[in-house]
Every structure is written in C-alpha cells, then in structure tokens.
C-alpha cells in the first residue's frame, strides 16, 4: 500500500483508539493524520484536502459531531468516509449512510476487519472519485487527476498552484490569512518570505484569466475565493 501513498485522517475522540489505529495503519503502509474533535477534523481536512484519501470518522466527536462533520464535507467533497459508531447502533449507521458515508464499522472492532473495509472502500471509490471536481462557473478543478479546466480547456498548474486553488475553493467566501495559507500549503515549518503567497495568487489569477476576480483580496487580512453561482 505504501507505493500508492494513501493518507487517512483518523478522527476519533478516544486517544487510545487513535493511537492504536495510527500505529496499525502506518504498519500497513498508510500515512496518518489525526483529529480529536469535529472542529479539528475539519481544520485538518481543509488544510490537507489534496492529500487525504479517506477519513475514519467517529460519530461521537466533541464540538462538532461526526454527522455534522460529514454533512459539511459533502457540501464540497466526495472524499471516502467510514463512520465509526457505537455497538449495534443501527440508527447511527442509517443516519451515517443518509449523510453520505461510504461504510461504517461498530466498536469494538477488529483492526483486520477495519483494514479490509478501508481497502474495499478505496478500491470502490477510486474510480468513482477519480475525476471528482470542484466547480465555480467556467472553472473546474479535478481533485484526483490534479488538473484544472477553464472554459473546457486544460490549464497547466504547478503543484503549489493546484494546492492553493484547492484550498481556496474548499473554503469559499472565507477570509484566509497569509499565515493560514502558508501553514496549509507550505506547512508549519516554512521559513521563507510570506509574500510568496501573493506571488502565487498573482500567478493563479493570471492563469484564471477573467475568473481571476474570483480570488478577492481582503485588505489587511488575506484572500477569499468568492464565486456567486447561478
């Protein structure tokens, strides 16, 4: 599995379960990100949306429960999600599927069974999500194939430009500061010039042509992706 470089976000309120899952899944070649509550799960996802391939999502998260996290994710993403529910909680399972879950597993569970479910969901979703896209008017961003179309024509983006546009489009009408963008795209240990964000925004606007106006400058704060649809 390591050759495919899959990344899983483990969002569970129980620290011991997170640690157990992280250790087990890393041992089977997966990269792991963790979150202990609903707010953190969304923050980690939005900061790494172009890298995460699947989410293990506990129903009983604090701050924002798993169902609400899933609903928000489904507004912009088809990321595969396996819900983790309490023992024999059929209502939770049914609600999870209604919210858009791809599968579920009940506590307590066997790590071996969970691994099989993860492999199955990733296989099932790989074709379905191969060209899942974000749309804003004539802008189409193909998340898995990692390219952009503008008015039906493919536009070549660098990896950083693609990651930056993904981050902006998955946080529509939200002001994102330069530091937030640096942390999300260049990672927390970035020590270069923070104005590199401005440079990449300028390059993106140029490639977006008339749609460059969708990336608004919020003076004194940062940037916002603002497209008013139909």
């Amino acid at each position: 599995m390591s050759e495919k470089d899959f990344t899983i976000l483990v969002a569970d309120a129980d620290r011991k379960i997170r640690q157990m899952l992280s250790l087990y899944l890393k041992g089977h070649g997966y990269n792991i990100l963790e979150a202990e509550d609903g707010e953190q799960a969304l923050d980690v996802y939005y900061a790494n949306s172009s890298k995460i391939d699947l989410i293990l999502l506990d129903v009983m998260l604090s701050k924002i429960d798993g169902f609400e996290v899933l609903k928000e994710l489904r507004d912009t993403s088809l990321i595969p999600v396996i819900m983790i529910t309490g023992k024999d909680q059929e209502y939770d399972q049914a609600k999870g599927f209604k919210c858009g879950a791809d599968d579920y597993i009940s506590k307590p569970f066997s790590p071996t069974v969970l691994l099989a479910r993860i492999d199955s969901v990733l296989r099932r979703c790989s074709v379905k999500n191969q060209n899942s896209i974000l749309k804003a008017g004539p802008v189409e961003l193909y998340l898995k194939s990692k390219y952009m179309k503008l008015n039906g024509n493919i536009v070549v983006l660098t990896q950083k430009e693609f990651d930056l546009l993904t981050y902006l489009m998955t946080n529509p009408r939200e002001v994102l500061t330069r530091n937030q963008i640096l942390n999300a795209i260049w990672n927390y240990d970035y020590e270069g010039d923070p104005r590199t964000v401005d440079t990449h925004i300028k390059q993106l606007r140029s490639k977006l042509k008339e749609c460059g106006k969708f990336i608004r400058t919020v003076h004194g704060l940062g940037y916002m992706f603002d497209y008013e649809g139909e």
Side-chain angles (χ1 to χ4, degrees):
M1 299 298 293
S2 58
E3 294 179 357
K4 297 181 180 179
D5 199 27
F6 285 125
T7 296
I8 296 175
L9 169 57
V10 178
D12 197 290
D14 189 317
R15 181 175 59 86
K16 290 183 179 180
I17 289 180
R18 288 200 313 276
Q19 291 177 340
M20 179 272 290
L21 289 176
S22 295
L23 184 63
Y24 184 78
L25 293 173
K26 284 178 181 178
H28 285 80
Y30 289 101
N31 301 310
I32 301 298
L33 297 171
E34 296 184 25
E36 64 181 16
D37 59 55
E39 286 185 359
Q40 189 178 49
L42 289 171
D43 288 343
V44 172
Y45 173 73
Y46 288 135
N48 300 275
S49 58
S50 63
K51 306 172 187 176
I52 296 173
D53 298 285
L54 181 141
I55 300 175
L56 295 178
L57 186 60
D58 181 16
V59 169
M60 300 301 293
L61 292 175
S62 60
K63 297 185 179 179
I64 305 175
D65 69 38
F67 297 124
E68 293 303 314
V69 170
L70 180 56
K71 287 178 183 178
E72 179 165 336
L73 289 172
R74 285 294 176 257
D75 285 341
T76 58
S77 174
L78 294 175
I79 182 76
V81 175
I82 297 177
M83 300 292 287
I84 301 175
T85 69
K87 184 178 180 180
D88 298 327
Q89 295 295 315
E90 291 186 6
Y91 172 77
D92 285 350
Q93 295 165 11
K95 187 175 180 180
F97 282 128
K98 187 175 181 180
C99 291
D102 295 277
D103 202 351
Y104 73 89
I105 192 164
S106 299
K107 297 178 182 178
F109 52 79
S110 161
T112 303
V113 172
L114 176 61
L115 182 64
R117 287 180 180 268
I118 289 171
D119 289 342
S120 176
V121 168
L122 285 173
R123 284 196 304 271
R124 189 167 71 239
C125 293
S126 62
V127 174
K128 179 180 71 175
N129 290 344
Q130 184 177 4
N131 285 326
S132 58
I133 60 176
L134 295 175
K135 291 185 179 181
V139 179
E140 297 179 341
L141 195 63
Y142 289 72
L143 300 180
K144 291 298 180 180
S145 299
K146 294 187 180 298
Y147 66 86
M148 181 185 79
K149 280 187 177 181
L150 181 64
N151 294 313
N153 299 312
I154 293 178
V155 177
V156 177
L157 300 178
T158 67
Q159 183 63 55
K160 290 300 185 188
E161 289 169 349
F162 181 89
D163 291 345
L164 176 56
L165 186 56
T166 299
Y167 186 52
L168 291 168
M169 291 182 70
T170 52
N171 292 277
R173 294 180 295 282
E174 180 178 340
V175 178
L176 300 170
T177 67
R178 288 184 180 85
N179 282 338
Q180 284 178 301
I181 295 171
L182 283 172
N183 290 340
I185 308 303
W186 280 268
N187 298 319
Y188 287 89
D189 57 356
Y190 180 77
E191 296 180 354
D193 185 352
R195 292 290 170 175
T196 191
V197 173
D198 302 334
T199 300
H200 281 76
I201 290 289
K202 182 178 180 180
Q203 293 169 348
L204 263 183
R205 283 173 170 160
S206 176
K207 292 184 177 182
L208 286 167
K209 298 182 179 179
E210 71 277 5
C211 296
K213 63 185 178 182
F214 295 167
I215 304 176
R216 291 177 47 200
T217 299
V218 183
H219 293 290
L221 294 175
Y223 296 97
M224 174 193 297
F225 190 88
D226 188 9
Y227 166 71
E228 293 296 335
E230 298 178 359

